[in-house]
Amino acid sequence: MAFGITTKLHLQCSMQPAAMSRRRHAKLGHVRCAAAATTTLTSKAAVATTASARTVRSRRAPAASSASVSHMWKKVHGLEDWEGMLEPLHPVLRDEVVRYGELVRACYEALEEDRSSPKYMNCKYGKRQMLEEAGVAAAGYEVTRYIYSSSDAAVPGMEAMTSGCASWAGYVAVSTDEMTRRLGRRDVLVSFRGTVTAAEWMANLKSSLEPASFDPRDARPDVKVESGFRNVYTSTDKTCRFGCVDSCRDQLLREVSRLVASCSKTHPGEEMSITVAGHSMGGALAQLLAYDLAELGLNGDAPVTVFSFGGPRVGNAAFKARCDELGVKVLRVANAHDPVTKLPGVFLNETTTRLGPLDAMRGACYMHVGQELALDFVRFSDLGSVHDLGAYVASLKGEAAAGEVSFHHINAYAGVIAKAMEFIDRQRDAAMRVCDWFCQLA
């Protein structure tokens, strides 16, 4: 079995946290820094100038090099498994990965986390204004539907408040005519945020494998995925106050199918792509959707590509093999210091079970899908930033301006990272005992 290509980018920059009046989840900050290279802005005028420049950068049109993507978009979307594009990282591919990262970050920017708001855990903006309000006005996409997900993984002591409650998970969009000309095809985009709610955190802890069973015509019981991710993808909230009684899966299959059929009818002969992008848990949901679309044949002739940022493993060896067979392409952008990218299966995985006495366990172990674009950044005073989407995007950009990425919920999120590392240690110890047992039998 072929395994993903890995390339590491060692990007250094100077970065200090920006002072922010409001705190929000999952935009913790940046990044790998030399302590002596920090920059301090002391005057109000300098701060205002930096903030103004940052606003202009966040709302500017896509980079000029994106014009060339029209001539090589199939390679950028993994037609040749990104061969020759990862080491060194091709500038057009980098720009496209950054572009999709910004479109995922819009999910965090637009999510209402104020508990006193009637839109709590919904999108703060209407579909027409959402991308502009989230800072990507020049994205070149029209949002067609909001997506909601729920989980029946209740938090102990908070069952009534958490179990089955739906929340805004992302959106579906399609490229405008102008962007379609720049991209060389009509792009249907699905964008997912990462874990935010307590119920989602509980679902993430369900690390057991279970059959995906998405195609009723062929259940493929050997193809297994993490039960918690599948739960978020397929659960329903019949009392959803946002009017979303269907599961995340049903909403997505219906909308993507509609867009594929509509674009094929409205623009006959035009090439089309389906791009699914997500951060953290959103990267897992992206892989489930991509596999689901391809397994059911709902993508038509459009290639399906996943851009995952800080995403975990999703399924077993059979899941990986089936994704490869169906032509689902996955580019995983992973920080070497991000523990989430090493879960589940921190020890028993695609590398450790390749040879030796553990080979027989491959079918029951988690395996990454696709190719890996490995980054390497860390700020030891803020360990939570190793999983931050803003830090991922800024690292790819190679930005070094002070305050370019803001820090939010640092202490709380650092605690989550610490718990993840503790979980990794426990898994490693248990796996070592299993390995010792197998070695004694060999």
Side-chain angles (χ1 to χ4, degrees), residues 11 29 39 112 171 175 283:
L11 302 173
T39 301
E112 179 58 84
Y171 60 93
S175 58

Side-chain angles (χ1 to χ4, degrees), residues 338-340 383-387 412-422:
D338 185 348
V340 175
L383 295 180
S385 67
V386 298
H387 185 58
Y413 210 71
V416 172
I417 296 297
K419 289 183 180 297
M421 295 305 296
E422 180 182 349

Side-chain angles (χ1 to χ4, degrees), residues 284-306:
L285 296 178
Q287 287 192 41
L288 290 178
L289 173 61
Y291 163 72
D292 204 0
L293 289 170
E295 188 69 88
L296 297 177
L298 299 180
N299 57 310
D301 295 328
V304 182
T305 302
V306 174

Side-chain angles (χ1 to χ4, degrees), residues 6-11 86-87 334-337 372-376:
T6 301
T7 180
K8 289 191 176 183
L9 301 181
H10 297 272
L11 302 173
L86 297 177
E87 192 172 358
N335 177 15
H337 305 282
E372 180 177 286
L373 171 58
L375 306 180
D376 189 352

Side-chain angles (χ1 to χ4, degrees), residues 14-195:
S14 300
M15 188 68 60
Q16 286 188 316
M20 301 293 290
S21 58
R22 60 192 179 104
R23 305 256 177 201
R24 299 186 46 221
H25 174 84
K27 296 192 303 171
L28 308 183
H30 206 27
V31 56
R32 185 186 188 94
C33 302
T38 55
T39 301
T40 305
L41 299 179
T42 56
S43 69
K44 292 183 179 180
V47 173
T49 301
T50 301
S52 177
R54 184 163 64 251
T55 302
V56 171
R57 279 192 295 271
S58 67
R59 297 177 181 269
R60 66 187 175 187
S65 62
S66 67
S68 63
V69 74
S70 62
H71 304 295
M72 56 184 301
W73 73 265
K74 292 183 179 179
K75 289 189 64 177
V76 169
H77 268 239
L79 176 64
E80 300 173 356
D81 293 320
W82 294 280
E83 183 177 355
M85 301 190 75
L86 297 177
E87 192 172 358
L89 182 61
H90 195 287
V92 174
L93 175 60
R94 180 192 62 192
D95 288 349
E96 285 297 280
V97 174
V98 166
R99 188 170 66 84
Y100 285 119
E102 296 285 11
L103 288 165
V104 173
R105 192 157 61 165
C107 294
Y108 292 116
E109 296 288 346
L111 180 65
E112 179 58 84
E113 296 185 77
D114 181 359
R115 290 180 177 273
S116 65
S117 171
K119 289 189 174 183
Y120 175 61
M121 296 315 298
N122 196 359
C123 184
K124 292 184 286 189
Y125 315 112
K127 290 191 288 291
R128 291 186 178 181
Q129 297 82 31
M130 193 273 285
L131 292 177
E132 179 178 3
E133 294 292 342
V136 284
Y141 285 81
E142 295 176 351
V143 177
T144 64
R145 183 179 177 88
Y146 285 162
I147 301 300
Y148 299 85
S149 66
S150 59
S151 171
D152 58 16
V155 179
M158 302 173 61
E159 289 83 359
M161 298 173 57
T162 58
S163 179
C165 295
S167 57
W168 187 66
Y171 60 93
V172 183
V174 62
S175 58
T176 63
D177 290 343
E178 180 182 357
M179 180 56 75
T180 296
R181 287 190 291 271
R182 299 186 66 174
L183 296 178
R185 86 284 184 190
R186 185 76 56 177
D187 189 33
V188 175
L189 168 70
V190 181
S191 180
F192 291 106
R193 63 164 173 80
T195 306

